[in-house]
Amino acid sequence: MPVSSADIEAALREALAPQTLEVRDDSHLHAGHAGALEGRHFHVLVVSNRFNQLSRLKRHRLVYDALYLLIPRGIHALAIDARAPGD
């Protein structure tokens, strides 16, 4: 079963207890793109206390760690906006 926005949202809520979470499926914007055949394109905005004092790289790693089981199910591209509260 292909990955959905709801799957991503559930995984991020469980792993990061975010204050704000928005998951948007942008796959329709990439129709005809070679990668569109390999999976879906998503944009994630997540605000979490888990990101306090972490670099952008470490924040992104936490997001990817939370989604590691979903990536093989069809996440081709993932745009991440990971913020700590107050960023």
Side-chain angles (χ1 to χ4, degrees), residues 12-64:
L12 292 175
R13 284 197 186 284
E14 182 177 333
L16 302 174
Q19 294 177 355
T20 302
L21 179 59
E22 297 174 13
V23 180
R24 184 177 69 226
D25 186 342
D26 288 338
S27 300
H28 64 284
L29 300 174
H30 301 275
H33 175 263
L37 299 175
E38 298 171 19
R40 304 188 74 126
H41 294 69
F42 294 95
H43 179 271
V44 171
L45 166 64
V46 57
V47 179
S48 174
N49 286 322
R50 294 276 317 271
F51 298 145
N52 286 333
Q53 308 298 317
L54 295 182
S55 68
R56 182 176 175 202
L57 177 63
K58 289 181 181 180
R59 292 174 184 191
H60 283 220
R61 283 184 181 156
L62 285 177
V63 171
Y64 281 113

